[in-house]
């Protein structure tokens, strides 16, 4: 088996082993972790759906913000919309169509300012903001589900286009930076029947993919790693047989 020490074989074995190590230590565990995250989020959603709305201050006291411990919990908030500080979330897709989400701050009766995601509006073109209904004026009482801020991986600031302030994620921090408002960290995903609601947003885990998709991918990576080892053994045996002949 001295042929295995030749440069070509050493390179081939090194590539195969590196691929196998990546499958078993990086790729498969990554997909298992994403599946675990999805399962945890789904359990949190299912639990939150069984709990009636409570006042915002019970879950998010003044001076705090929305975190994972209260995400998806339903709350009831009374306040006044601030349409002059409104923004749209760019580059969304719903039901296979381009869309925008509408993020409107709400000043609560206790003085906090909370970003409210009123829902989505389908757009004729991906970069064009369609017309949508303004929020109701005056004091309103709304219900919705608490959400943790999204994060734009590129950290892009808000822009103004088509006569609208536009941001790249449902993110109170981006909206606060663009408007100068002191917003509560996190936002409220409005219930479809609440005043000011637009197209209803889905209540689903944010990790993406269908249930068990990541588990399937993880098993595929484990299978690919095993196939690579089997193929390596096959080629080594084939080379040995040819040399004996």
């Amino acid at each position: 088996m001295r042929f295995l020490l030749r440069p070509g074989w050493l390179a081939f074995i090194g590539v195969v082993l590196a691929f196998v190590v990546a499958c078993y230590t990086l790729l498969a565990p990554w997909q298992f972790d994403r599946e675990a995250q999805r399962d945890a989020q789904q359990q949190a959603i299912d639990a939150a759906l069984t709990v009636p709305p409570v006042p915002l201050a019970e879950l998010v006291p003044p001076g705090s913000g929305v975190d994972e411990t209260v995400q998806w919990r339903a709350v009831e908030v009374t306040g006044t919309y601030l349409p002059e500080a409104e923004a749209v979330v760019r580059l969304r897709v719903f039901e296979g169509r381009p869309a925008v989400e509408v993020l409107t701050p709400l000043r609560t009766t206790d003085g906090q300012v909370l970003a409210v995601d009123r829902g989505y509006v389908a757009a004729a073109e991906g970069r064009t903001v369609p017309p949508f209904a303004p929020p109701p004026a005056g004091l309103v009482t709304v219900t919705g589900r608490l959400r943790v801020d999204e994060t734009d991986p590129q950290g892009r600031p808000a822009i103004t286009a088509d006569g609208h302030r536009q941001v790249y994620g449902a993110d109170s921090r981006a909206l606060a930076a663009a408007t100068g408002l002191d917003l509560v960290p996190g936002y409220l995903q409005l219930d479809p029947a609440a005043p000011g609601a637009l197209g209803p947003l889905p209540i689903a885990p944010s990790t993406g993919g269908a249930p068990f998709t990541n588990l399937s991918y993880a098993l595929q990576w484990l299978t690919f790693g095993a196939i690579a080892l089997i193929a390596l053994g096959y080629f080594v045996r084939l080379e040995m047989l040819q040399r004996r002949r």
Side-chain angles (χ1 to χ4, degrees):
M1 299 181 64
R2 293 180 180 178
F3 66 90
L4 295 178
L5 299 178
R6 291 183 176 180
W9 272 99
L10 288 175
F12 175 60
I13 293 172
V15 170
V16 171
L17 293 181
F19 175 72
V20 172
V21 170
C23 287
Y24 281 85
T25 65
L26 296 176
L27 299 172
W30 171 52
Q31 292 296 340
F32 279 128
D33 184 60
R34 286 179 61 85
E35 183 65 26
Q37 292 178 18
R38 163 175 282 279
D39 185 60
Q41 286 194 24
Q42 188 60 60
Q43 291 181 19
I45 293 171
D46 294 341
L49 292 176
T50 64
V51 181
V54 299
L56 174 66
E58 287 192 16
L59 299 178
V60 187
S64 65
V66 181
D67 58 28
E68 292 289 349
T69 62
V70 297
Q71 180 160 225
W72 299 111
R73 285 290 303 275
V75 295
E76 182 179 84
V77 190
T78 299
T80 305
Y81 282 115
L82 305 177
E84 68 278 5
E86 191 169 71
V88 297
V89 185
R90 295 166 54 88
L91 308 177
R92 298 302 215 194
V93 177
F94 289 96
E95 298 179 352
R97 298 179 57 190
V100 298
E101 289 177 37
V102 181
L103 209 58
T104 309
L106 180 82
R107 189 180 300 279
T108 68
T109 52
D110 62 0
Q112 297 190 87
V113 183
L114 178 68
V116 176
D117 193 332
R118 298 202 285 133
Y120 78 91
V121 184
E125 299 178 9
R127 298 182 179 272
T128 302
V129 178
F132 54 86
L139 201 64
V140 294
T141 298
V142 301
T143 56
R145 299 196 174 274
L146 297 173
R147 298 293 307 275
V148 174
D149 283 323
E150 297 178 355
T151 299
D152 176 21
Q154 302 180 38
R156 293 166 289 187
I159 64 172
T160 299
D162 292 335
H164 294 275
R165 184 182 293 110
Q166 301 187 29
V167 293
Y168 290 88
D171 185 357
S172 66
R173 298 163 298 183
L175 187 59
T179 62
L181 292 172
D182 184 16
L183 288 165
V184 175
Y187 66 97
L188 183 72
Q189 180 175 314
L190 206 59
D191 282 346
L198 300 170
L201 297 171
I203 300 176
S206 57
T207 52
F212 307 114
T213 299
N214 297 113
L215 178 61
S216 174
Y217 289 155
L219 296 177
Q220 287 179 19
W221 284 119
L222 294 178
T223 302
F224 292 155
I227 291 174
L229 287 176
I230 294 172
L232 175 61
Y234 172 78
F235 286 120
V236 170
R237 183 174 183 277
L238 186 63
E239 181 71 13
M240 292 174 61
L241 292 175
Q242 289 179 346
R243 288 179 178 274
R244 289 174 182 175
R245 292 171 184 171

